[in-house]
Amino acid sequence: MGLSLEGKTCLVTGGSRGIGKAIALKLAEFGADVAITYARSANAANEVKAEIEAKGRNAKAIQADAVDFAEAEKVINEIVSDWGKLDVLVNNAGITKDNLILRMSEDQWDDVITTNLKSIFNYSKVAARPMMKNRGGSIINISSVVGISGNAGQSNYSASKAGIIGFTKSYAKELASRNIRANVIAPGYITTDMTDALDEKVLEGIKEATPLGRAGNADEIADAVVFLSSDMSSYITGETIRVDGGMAM
Ligand code: NDP
């Protein structure tokens, strides 16, 4: 029997562009109803919503700053009241504000930690209740290889991404008895708007450090999300899956 997400409802934070968009579209392709959130890109988010609907699935595009706990409550309440339940939460929204520690401002530190890490607390906490009521769920948190190996110029980002791994293991232990699984995906270098900001020399270095010798694409992250969303991963929790062409091994 093929893998199917038919009947499942999913929420992807930061689904307007890049990896989050690819995740949202692939979840829909496999049969799920999908809601996305976004911060600023209303047009792009509405296009993703239309693409999901064109696949014959229900969709929502909701503007909600991932940093804001009350907005997380609003988003998840809307999904549960309209669709009856939330099966899968993908915490994907994230930003970079790179700088060497000596030059890093307090704002650069705070913005990245709150957007990337507090957001995970917000949505995971709020999702727990409806998932408990529904007797199960899957939470998938998007970290990064630099959360495992560190990276000069990204102390704020690496700290947030390592924090996600610790948070997810704790969450997995707290909620396993309720049949809620929580796992991490740690992407390597994936071509998106986020990495378009890197200069050529840095990109060449990254490719050299990747055993598979190339950048990944957002669809390859989405494939791992589909697996962790499905019942085919029913005995996996607290795990970090690297999808990085071998970079951090
Ligand atoms: P992009 O910059 O292409 O997209 C980021 C997405 O997050 C957008 O949808 C954006 O919404 C949303 N977002 C940003 N801030 C907020 C916020 N405060 N509230 C709600 N949504 C927000 O990034 P990527 O697709 O490259 O990255 C996605 C995730 O993958 C991130 O967590 C990133 O750290 C991680 N990752 C990426 C890698 C890569 O190589 N690209 C490698 C490893 C990890 P809007 O369009 O409205 O701004």
Side-chain angles (χ1 to χ4, degrees), residues 8-244:
K8 288 194 194 285
T9 61
C10 307
L11 167 61
V12 182
T13 67
S16 48
R17 297 183 285 117
I19 292 172
K21 174 182 178 179
I23 291 170
L25 294 179
K26 192 151 284 198
L27 290 170
E29 212 170 279
F30 278 86
D33 293 331
V34 184
I36 62 165
T37 66
Y38 64 96
R40 288 160 296 268
S41 311
N43 288 344
N46 284 320
E47 275 169 32
V48 174
K49 176 176 182 273
E51 280 189 59
I52 294 167
E53 285 167 346
K55 294 177 196 293
R57 310 298 166 195
N58 291 314
K60 288 175 183 292
I62 308 169
Q63 183 172 30
D65 186 346
V67 168
D68 189 319
F69 185 82
E71 290 194 4
E73 284 184 306
K74 243 172 63 187
V75 168
I76 290 177
N77 285 343
E78 182 182 328
I79 291 168
V80 173
S81 91
D82 290 357
W83 293 349
K85 62 185 177 132
L86 177 66
D87 296 295
V88 176
L89 165 64
V90 185
N91 281 307
N92 164 80
I95 57 167
T96 50
K97 292 202 172 172
D98 297 353
N99 220 334
L100 297 170
I101 293 165
L102 288 176
R103 292 196 196 130
M104 187 173 289
S105 68
E106 197 180 344
D107 279 350
Q108 286 177 320
W109 174 267
D110 287 344
D111 286 353
V112 169
I113 296 292
T114 52
T115 306
N116 295 3
L117 188 54
K118 180 169 184 267
S119 60
I120 303 256
F121 165 77
N122 293 346
Y123 281 82
S124 305
K125 178 178 162 71
V126 177
R129 264 180 219 289
M131 285 183 174
M132 275 159 53
K133 214 171 146 206
N134 197 33
R135 299 188 188 285
S138 176
I139 294 188
I140 299 150
N141 295 326
I142 307 298
S143 174
S144 164
V145 283
V146 308
I148 297 168
S149 48
N151 197 22
Q154 290 196 308
S155 60
N156 51 359
Y157 185 76
S158 307
S160 72
K161 295 300 187 179
I164 288 172
I165 295 173
F167 175 86
T168 306
K169 288 177 180 172
S170 305
Y171 191 95
K173 285 183 176 176
E174 285 189 28
L175 288 153
S177 65
R178 306 299 192 121
N179 194 34
I180 299 172
R181 301 182 295 110
N183 293 287
V184 172
I185 292 173
Y189 163 49
I190 309 297
T191 40
T192 66
D193 293 345
M194 187 177 272
T195 49
D196 284 350
L198 298 174
D199 71 55
E200 263 314 300
K201 249 177 129 179
V202 176
L203 293 186
E204 272 315 304
I206 291 171
K207 280 184 195 163
E208 262 170 44
T210 305
L212 284 178
R214 63 170 176 87
N217 59 60
D219 251 356
E220 291 173 302
I221 305 303
D223 288 337
V225 171
V226 166
F227 171 65
L228 288 175
S229 301
S230 80
D231 300 335
M232 290 190 83
S233 59
S234 52
Y235 203 48
I236 301 177
T237 196
E239 184 56 285
T240 298
I241 300 181
R242 287 185 297 104
V243 184
D244 66 350

